[in-house]
């Protein structure tokens, strides 16, 4: 894996997979999102990720909050999701992933190496997308 992953949003679907992936020097600039706050704080404490954000991917409001936070505080370059998690996921989870960003990469581990493959499913630009204009979001929460 020889790709700059700074500002990529990593979907933390499995703490063991995420920790192993984030131990890779190319992955230290990722932003991790998931429901296991304790695990994500450990990744931050160990300086393996740039930032984290809680997100319950089964809850549309939680995903919209993630999108708003990412759009305001980070220039998200794309989304990283483990291939095993995406392929076995429900259609609603896949729809959420396909809504987060146009640039979506599947992570496959082969031996000691990680391979990133572009996700070819259609992208859904909507209120869950992480590339919204922060100026448009500025009035929210006032």
């Amino acid at each position: 894996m020889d790709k700059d992953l700074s500002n990529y949003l990593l979907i933390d679907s499995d703490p063991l997979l995420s920790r192993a992936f984030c131990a890779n020097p190319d992955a230290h600039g990722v932003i991790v999102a998931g429901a296991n706050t304790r695990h994500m704080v450990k990744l931050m404490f160990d300086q393996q990720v740039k930032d984290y954000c809680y997100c319950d991917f089964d809850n549309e409001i939680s995903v919209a909050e993630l999108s708003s936070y990412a759009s305001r505080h980070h220039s998200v370059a794309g989304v990283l999701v483990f291939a095993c998690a995406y392929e076995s996921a429900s259609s609603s989870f896949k729809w959420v992933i396909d809504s987060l960003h146009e640039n979506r990469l599947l992570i496959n581990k082969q031996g000691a190496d990680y391979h990133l493959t572009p996700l070819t499913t259609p992208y859904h630009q909507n209120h869950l997308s992480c590339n919204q204009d922060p100026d448009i979001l500025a009035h929210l929460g006032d």
Side-chain angles (χ1 to χ4, degrees), residues 7-130:
N7 291 325
Y8 270 76
L9 184 68
L10 172 65
I11 307 305
D12 183 27
S13 55
D14 181 310
L16 294 176
L17 292 175
S18 296
R19 178 163 284 284
F21 180 76
C22 290
N24 184 321
D26 293 332
H28 284 258
V30 301
I31 304 144
V32 65
N36 189 337
T37 304
R38 182 173 179 234
H39 173 256
M40 293 185 296
V41 168
K42 281 183 173 182
L43 289 174
M44 282 286 296
F45 182 77
D46 294 341
Q47 299 180 345
Q48 290 188 317
V49 296
K50 179 179 181 176
D51 196 4
Y52 75 93
C53 184
Y54 173 84
C55 185
D56 175 0
F57 287 98
D58 292 328
N59 181 320
E60 189 172 339
I61 294 172
S62 184
V63 179
E65 287 292 322
L66 165 66
S67 168
S68 175
Y69 176 80
S71 294
R72 288 181 186 188
H73 300 286
H74 299 286
S75 181
V76 175
V79 172
L80 300 166
V81 62
F82 290 99
C84 57
Y86 186 84
E87 291 162 0
S88 65
S90 66
S91 59
S92 61
F93 180 78
K94 288 179 180 178
W95 185 83
V96 166
I97 298 303
D98 292 338
S99 298
L100 288 173
H101 201 280
E102 185 174 17
N103 182 14
R104 293 157 287 130
L105 301 173
L106 293 176
I107 304 168
N108 289 292
K109 184 171 184 182
Q110 296 172 343
D113 297 327
Y114 290 95
H115 297 278
L116 304 175
T117 309
L119 193 55
T120 58
T121 54
Y123 167 60
H124 310 291
Q125 173 75 39
N126 57 40
H127 64 290
L128 303 179
S129 300
C130 291

